[in-house]
Amino acid sequence: MAYYYSEHSRTFSEYLLVPGYTSEECVPANVSLKTPLVKFKKGEEPRISLNIPMVSAIMQSVSNDTLAIALAKEGGISFIYGSQTVEDQAAMVAKVKNYKAGFVVSASNLKPDNTLGDVIDLVDEKGFSTIAITDNGESNGKLLGVVTSRDYRISRMSTDLLVKEFMTPIEKLITAPKDTTLKGANDIIWEHKLNSLPIIDEDGKLMYFVFRKDYSSHKNNPQELLDVNKRFMVGAGINTLDYDKRVPALVEAGADILCIDSSEGFSCWQKKTIDFIREKYGDSVMVGAGNVVDREGFLFLAEAGADFVKVGIGGGSICITRETKGIGRGQATALIEVSKARNEYYEKTGIYIPVCSDGGIVHDYHMTLALAMGADFMMLGRYFARFDESPTPKLNINGTYVKEYWGEGSNRARNWQRYDIGGKSKLSFEEGVDSYVTYAGTLRDNVEKSLYKVKSTMCNCGVITIPDLQKNAKMTVVSSTSIVEGGYHDVTLKSNNSHNN
């Protein structure tokens, strides 16, 4: 006879935090969100700690090099998606590690024989007003000119007009050589009252842009997540099939940490993958594993040597694993049990293995609940997919700006490696959907807003650190009518503006 759990499988929305005593020190400015990313022994410091409890999901529509750089600036880390060739993934990792703060690789590029219509489309898609015109239309091509919003007027010019007819040509641009320092670039920008400065090599090929608007932002990133060489930190996803080829390439590219991307982590395949890494690299290469939803699954991965453990099956907004396979568990219930197992393991062995809550975050307050329930950090997909820095284009659908978002288990991703249970070479059925999410703007602005809510709630609970929140938080299960009572009710709204993210 099957084993039956006595308690319900609950979600974050079924819980509320109960306020604690708020002292004078409990103000958001005093809250620290620093949290361990990898395991450590009692009395020692983890080799990697996050400055904010956020990592981005191992997904094609979420974690590329652009988002990884933006998130590292805020103090979190991205895991570059693994459902691509080994070479392409390693190249993305290398781009993050080689990124020079303040020096931006051009994300919007065209050729001289493109048209004004192409310019308009590219601005709508990327959201950037500065477009590099190169001989091959690539970010590293020979720079021939630049187009900004000052170079054209849609109402007065034909969309068929060639870019070379209205761009600002290279002869009229102020540029700087490749050995220019950031301070030197900013001095040139201020001296000549520029909005941007192209950095070119000795062959005239574009290397970077330095933007005037970035000057102050580079002084306002005290939370940056940097390695010992002052480079941004970045993670990468791996699978349980080609790890013998993928892991060495990612390590060579400079990945700071790896994570096995799988819909279900309580398997011999995950242990074999970790065993390979330990045999080849010892403890020098750190790797997270998962996903699991109970004590037994956590202990299996802990003993296998995982540096952190991901919790969650079927809770993601685009995941249909529960619907298609009838397997999974409510995210809150799973997280509570695994966190308890983590604490017991720490007491028994003296080794603390961080827990990552993956899935189920719908509203910002769910983040605080996840941390209070024991998560050391959260892996977020839908949340980050909405931002400028995610890989997908911004689209206008029926007057609303959206971005595409699809699951790694969807037919679009064709990520059959993620669902391997012993040698299958194709996706037998889908465990994710293809969708849109409402465009939300820049990562920086949204992360700052979300984490201010987390900090404020922690102060309401009388704590200013995540460990104290986990130790002292009080929670209550809510009824269905209590959930209704918690929102606006018995009133008529003046507008349709949502107050939730």
Side-chain angles (χ1 to χ4, degrees):
M1 182 177 176
Y3 175 80
Y4 291 89
Y5 287 89
S6 58
E7 75 276 11
H8 292 296
S9 179
R10 298 189 182 278
T11 66
F12 291 133
S13 292
E14 295 178 79
Y15 287 89
L16 285 175
L17 285 158
V18 176
Y21 171 69
T22 302
S23 66
E24 289 186 357
E25 72 168 350
C26 290
V27 293
N30 291 338
V31 173
S32 169
L33 294 178
K34 189 171 183 178
T35 189
L37 177 64
V38 295
K39 66 183 177 183
F40 60 94
K41 293 181 180 178
K42 184 179 292 187
E44 297 181 356
E45 291 293 319
R47 285 188 285 171
I48 303 177
S49 290
L50 300 170
N51 292 323
I52 61 172
M54 289 180 164
V55 305
S56 67
I58 309 169
M59 302 175 72
Q60 292 175 358
S61 57
V62 178
S63 296
N64 66 343
D65 52 297
T66 306
L67 189 123
I69 291 168
L71 184 53
K73 287 180 179 179
E74 302 308 312
I77 197 168
S78 290
F79 287 89
I80 303 295
Y81 68 90
S83 51
Q84 58 179 321
T85 67
V86 173
E87 294 76 15
D88 287 346
Q89 187 185 22
M92 281 192 182
V93 169
K95 283 182 180 179
V96 180
K97 300 307 294 183
N98 294 330
Y99 179 83
K100 296 169 67 176
F103 293 84
V104 180
V105 176
S106 179
S108 295
N109 310 283
L110 291 174
K111 294 187 291 186
D113 57 357
N114 282 111
T115 67
L116 175 57
D118 295 326
V119 170
I120 296 169
D121 290 343
L122 191 58
V123 171
D124 285 342
E125 176 187 342
K126 298 286 189 177
F128 305 129
S129 60
T130 299
I131 300 174
I133 309 303
T134 60
D135 61 345
N136 59 4
E138 300 294 332
S139 61
N140 59 353
K142 185 174 182 179
L143 184 65
L144 302 177
V146 169
V147 170
T148 70
S149 58
R150 294 181 299 179
D151 292 312
Y152 61 90
R153 289 293 179 269
I154 298 175
S155 60
R156 298 183 180 183
M157 298 163 61
S158 169
T159 54
D160 294 329
L161 188 65
L162 297 181
V163 166
K164 61 185 177 183
E165 299 295 332
F166 61 89
M167 71 181 186
T168 300
I170 184 69
E171 298 81 23
K172 295 183 179 181
L173 291 175
I174 294 174
T175 63
K178 67 178 183 180
D179 58 352
T180 304
T181 64
L182 183 59
K183 182 181 184 304
N186 281 314
D187 287 343
I188 295 172
I189 287 173
W190 285 97
E191 179 184 350
H192 295 277
K193 299 180 180 180
L194 305 175
N195 287 323
S196 64
L197 176 69
I199 307 296
I200 59 176
D201 66 14
E202 60 274 8
D203 297 320
K205 291 184 176 180
L206 179 63
M207 298 181 66
Y208 310 104
F209 275 109
V210 177
F211 291 97
R212 182 187 187 95
K213 64 181 177 62
D214 288 341
Y215 177 77
S216 59
S217 70
H218 295 311
K219 291 183 173 295
N220 293 325
N221 291 316
Q223 296 277 76
E224 286 181 332
L225 194 65
L226 304 173
D227 64 17
V228 292
N229 297 312
K230 304 300 182 183
R231 301 176 302 175
F232 286 136
M233 301 193 81
V234 62
I238 61 175
N239 61 67
T240 56
L241 286 178
D242 67 358
Y243 53 82
D244 57 333
K245 301 180 183 65
R246 193 170 294 270
V247 170
L250 294 173
V251 172
E252 177 67 23
D256 296 284
I257 186 168
L258 307 175
C259 183
I260 304 172
D261 183 30
S262 174
S263 64
E264 202 280 301
F266 191 3
S267 74
C268 63
W269 315 112
Q270 295 234 344
K271 185 178 186 305
K272 287 182 178 180
T273 304
I274 297 173
D275 286 346
F276 168 83
I277 292 173
R278 295 292 173 247
E279 289 169 8
K280 186 173 178 66
Y281 300 100
D283 292 329
S284 65
V285 172
M286 293 167 281
V287 57
N291 287 19
V292 298
V293 292
D294 64 0
R295 180 178 186 275
E296 193 176 3
F298 170 84
L299 293 176
F300 172 79
L301 292 178
E303 292 299 328
D307 286 288
F308 69 82
V309 174
K310 282 202 298 169
V311 178
I313 295 177
S317 60
I318 41 71
C319 184
I320 54 173
T321 296
R322 297 179 193 174
E323 182 179 334
T324 58
K325 297 173 68 174
I327 190 170
R329 201 175 192 188
Q331 187 66 10
T333 300
L335 183 56
I336 291 169
E337 180 173 323
V338 171
S339 297
K340 183 178 179 182
R342 184 267 320 278
N343 294 343
E344 292 173 353
Y345 188 84
Y346 180 51
E347 289 299 318
K348 178 181 178 181
T349 66
I351 299 174
Y352 187 93
I353 301 177
V355 165
C356 169
S357 180
D358 180 15
I361 301 290
V362 179
H363 304 295
D364 286 345
Y365 81 90
H366 289 170
M367 297 181 188
T368 320
L369 284 170
L371 296 172
M373 290 174 180
D376 296 283
F377 56 94
M378 299 154 290
M379 180 169 279
L380 304 165
R382 181 198 63 87
Y383 180 85
F384 287 118
R386 304 172 301 146
F387 303 150
D388 285 322
E389 296 85 355
S390 72
T392 62
K394 183 174 69 172
L395 305 174
N396 191 318
I397 305 295
N398 297 324
T400 300
Y401 281 108
V402 298
K403 299 201 78 176
E404 293 181 290
Y405 180 49
W406 60 91
E408 290 298 280
S410 68
N411 189 57
R412 178 171 182 173
R414 296 186 179 277
N415 187 12
W416 55 269
Q417 297 100 325
R418 190 172 193 265
Y419 298 88
D420 175 62
I421 52 173
K424 291 185 178 181
S425 61
K426 63 180 180 179
L427 185 66
S428 300
F429 57 88
E430 295 185 64
E431 293 187 44
V433 299
D434 197 347
S435 64
Y436 295 117
V437 289
T438 303
Y439 167 71
T442 67
L443 180 146
R444 182 183 180 88
D445 290 344
N446 282 276
V447 166
E448 183 178 12
K449 178 181 177 181
S450 296
L451 292 184
Y452 188 85
K453 293 179 185 177
V454 172
K455 291 178 178 181
S456 180
T457 305
M458 288 173 62
C459 290
N460 293 146
C461 294
V463 299
I464 57 174
T465 68
I466 292 174
D468 282 346
L469 176 67
Q470 294 168 344
K471 179 181 178 181
N472 299 322
K474 297 179 291 184
M475 275 179 286
T476 181
V477 176
V478 296
S479 66
S480 57
T481 52
S482 177
I483 294 174
V484 173
E485 180 187 62
Y488 61 84
H489 57 89
D490 302 313
V491 296
T492 301
L493 292 184
K494 290 183 177 179
S495 71
N496 292 322
N497 291 333
S498 173
H499 58 280
N500 287 319
N501 287 333

